[in-house]
């Protein structure tokens, strides 16, 4: 995925961290509890293996999630949220509240018009 150039206010960097159709869903699921790849595939209907793997790699590189490999006859990999990723959840929560207020405002404007 093409990333925006960084800017002085940090907004482009924030958008880079959350851009991608599935990243917020991934972040939500691994915040609830650690998840395996196949589990994430089932929890996010419509995501392809390729896109899920790519977005997990990007989120790991951005230190939003951690990938832990457990040794064994069958390799087990789990993804979980980092403290830094948890802080993104807080920021997204504020943006979500703003979005809900905006929706109500738009509904009100449509009813008045």
């Amino acid at each position: 995925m093409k990333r925006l150039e960084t800017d002085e206010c940090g907004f482009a960097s924030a958008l880079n961290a959350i851009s991608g159709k599935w990243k917020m869903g991934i972040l939500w699921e691994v915040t609830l509890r650690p998840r395996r790849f196949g589990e994430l595939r089932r929890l996010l209907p419509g995501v392809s293996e390729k896109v899920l793997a790519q977005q997990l790699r990007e989120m790991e590189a951005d230190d939003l999630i951690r990938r832990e490999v457990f040794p064994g006859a069958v390799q087990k990999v789990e993804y979980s949220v980092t403290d830094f990723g948890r802080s993104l959840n807080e920021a997204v929560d504020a943006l979500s509240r703003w979005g809900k207020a905006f929706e109500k405002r738009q509904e009100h404007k449509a009813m008045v018009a």
Side-chain angles (χ1 to χ4, degrees), residues 34-52:
R35 305 284 189 173
R36 295 182 69 179
F37 185 89
E39 193 176 9
L40 288 169
R41 275 278 324 268
R42 284 189 301 278
L43 291 167
L44 302 167
V47 68
S48 70
E49 282 189 31
K50 177 184 174 188
V51 170
L52 179 58

Side-chain angles (χ1 to χ4, degrees), residues 20-75:
K21 180 177 180 177
W22 304 101
K23 286 185 180 179
M24 290 295 84
I26 293 167
L27 188 63
W28 172 257
E29 292 299 340
V30 299
T31 297
L32 296 175
R33 68 181 181 83
R35 305 284 189 173
R36 295 182 69 179
F37 185 89
E39 193 176 9
L40 288 169
R41 275 278 324 268
R42 284 189 301 278
L43 291 167
L44 302 167
V47 68
S48 70
E49 282 189 31
K50 177 184 174 188
V51 170
L52 179 58
Q54 176 187 5
Q55 293 198 355
L56 286 167
R57 279 192 304 273
E58 289 173 7
M59 293 175 75
E60 185 182 9
D62 289 341
D63 194 32
L64 301 175
I65 62 171
R66 81 178 51 83
R67 179 180 186 268
E68 189 171 359
V69 180
F70 298 91
V74 176
Q75 190 179 43

Side-chain angles (χ1 to χ4, degrees), residues 105-113:
R105 184 181 176 111
Q106 294 301 96
E107 288 172 12
H108 178 72
K109 283 174 59 176
M111 289 173 31
V112 172

